[in-house]
């Protein structure tokens, strides 16, 4: 009952409340990004959610568009600096995903939506992470976020997909707040976020 009825309803209600409460913060961050880095302010990218359905995720832009002499984008760690890095470290870049929750694309709690290019690389076990909607935060995030191995990320994702409950969601929610306040595990050592999954 919780997973199929109360969770999706509470997600949308809570998202609407937070969008109203954080409207000034959203506006201020958007303005500062526009001044510091220019347009676009919102970064969009296609991501898979439940059953591999593709949706467009919204995030605040945190990287510049700097390119080399061949017109290729510079490495993430070079383009992630200054104000963009502060936005990422404070997890403010995730705020626009409240619109994704309101639309029903994702949930507050669930496996993080990864890149569509990873879909063919998953094992049958790993595919089970898509038995539930993707989320803004999840079990893997509170267990190490970008500083744990892909193997462990998938293990936590599948564990959550098989055991969704109100109690587990509350546990993840409060631990997420603690992680954000501590600003821990935002980046993987040596890279701007985390290394790519290779299967």
């Amino acid at each position: 009952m919780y997973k199929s009825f109360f969770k999706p309803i509470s997600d949308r209600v809570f998202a609407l409340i937070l969008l109203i409460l954080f409207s000034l913060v959203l506006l201020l961050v958007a303005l500062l990004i526009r001044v510091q880095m220019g347009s676009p302010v919102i970064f969009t990218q296609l991501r898979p959610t439940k059953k591999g359905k593709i949706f467009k995720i919204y995030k605040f832009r945190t990287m510049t568009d700097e390119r080399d002499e061949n017109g290729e984008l510079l490495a993430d760690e070079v383009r992630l600096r200054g104000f963009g890095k502060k936005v990422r470290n404070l997890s403010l870049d995730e705020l626009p995903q409240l619109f994704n929750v309101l639309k029903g694309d994702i949930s507050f709690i669930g496996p993080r939506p990864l890149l569509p290019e990873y879909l063919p690389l998953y094992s049958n076990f790993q595919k089970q992470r898509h038995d539930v909607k993707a989320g803004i935060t999840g079990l893997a995030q509170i267990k190490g976020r970008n500083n744990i191995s892909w193997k462990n990320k998938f293990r936590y994702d599948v564990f959550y997909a098989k055991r969704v409950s109100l109690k587990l969601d509350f546990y993840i929610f409060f631990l997420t707040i603690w992680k954000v306040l501590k600003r821990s595990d935002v980046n993987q050592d040596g890279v701007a976020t985390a290394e790519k999954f290779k299967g």
Side-chain angles (χ1 to χ4, degrees), residues 2-199:
Y2 169 72
K3 180 179 175 181
S4 60
F5 183 72
F6 289 110
K7 183 175 169 73
I9 290 176
S10 60
D11 274 339
R12 284 176 162 159
V13 171
F14 196 32
L16 182 59
I17 292 170
L18 288 180
L19 280 168
I20 294 169
L21 290 176
F22 285 99
S23 56
L24 287 178
V25 176
L26 283 157
L27 186 61
L28 181 61
V29 173
L31 238 126
L32 288 171
I33 290 173
R34 179 69 178 83
V35 171
Q36 297 283 334
M37 290 185 284
S39 293
V41 169
I42 299 293
F43 167 79
T44 63
Q45 193 175 50
L46 297 179
R47 299 285 179 93
T49 184
K50 187 176 180 180
K51 304 301 180 187
K53 181 184 177 183
I54 303 298
F55 73 100
K56 187 181 286 186
I57 197 171
Y58 307 123
K59 285 187 170 190
F60 276 128
R61 177 184 172 206
T62 56
M63 295 187 191
T64 67
D65 287 327
E66 293 172 276
R67 298 173 185 269
D68 61 21
E69 59 273 11
N70 299 316
E72 298 291 325
L73 285 170
L74 296 177
D76 288 355
E77 53 266 29
V78 176
R79 296 186 295 121
L80 179 65
R81 63 171 190 268
F83 182 69
K85 194 169 187 178
K86 289 176 184 174
V87 170
R88 178 76 67 88
N89 286 340
L90 292 169
S91 296
L92 293 173
D93 59 315
E94 311 281 358
L95 284 177
Q97 288 174 64
L98 291 171
F99 289 104
N100 287 122
V101 177
L102 191 61
K103 286 171 59 186
D105 296 327
I106 60 175
S107 178
F108 274 104
I109 313 292
R112 284 292 292 161
L114 302 176
L115 298 173
E117 65 195 64
Y118 296 166
L119 290 173
L121 304 177
Y122 294 149
S123 66
N124 288 331
F125 174 78
Q126 292 163 349
K127 286 177 183 175
Q128 293 179 83
R129 73 190 306 276
H130 289 296
D131 288 347
V132 294
K133 277 185 183 179
I136 294 179
T137 185
L139 191 58
Q141 278 58 55
I142 64 167
K143 294 295 186 180
R145 201 171 177 178
N146 287 321
N147 258 332
I148 57 174
S149 67
W150 280 109
K151 180 181 179 181
N152 283 330
K153 280 184 186 179
F154 289 127
R155 186 164 60 87
Y156 288 127
D157 287 346
V158 174
F159 178 94
Y160 176 82
K162 288 179 174 294
R163 294 171 175 81
V164 178
S165 69
L166 179 61
K167 183 180 177 181
L168 183 56
D169 278 0
F170 267 119
Y171 170 74
I172 294 169
F173 176 76
F174 287 113
L175 262 292
T176 296
I177 293 174
W178 175 245
K179 283 275 184 181
V180 169
L181 291 175
K182 284 179 64 183
R183 303 184 199 179
S184 60
D185 302 317
V186 176
N187 304 317
Q188 194 174 57
D189 294 337
V191 291
T193 51
E195 64 177 352
K196 282 200 168 188
F197 177 61
K198 299 180 177 67

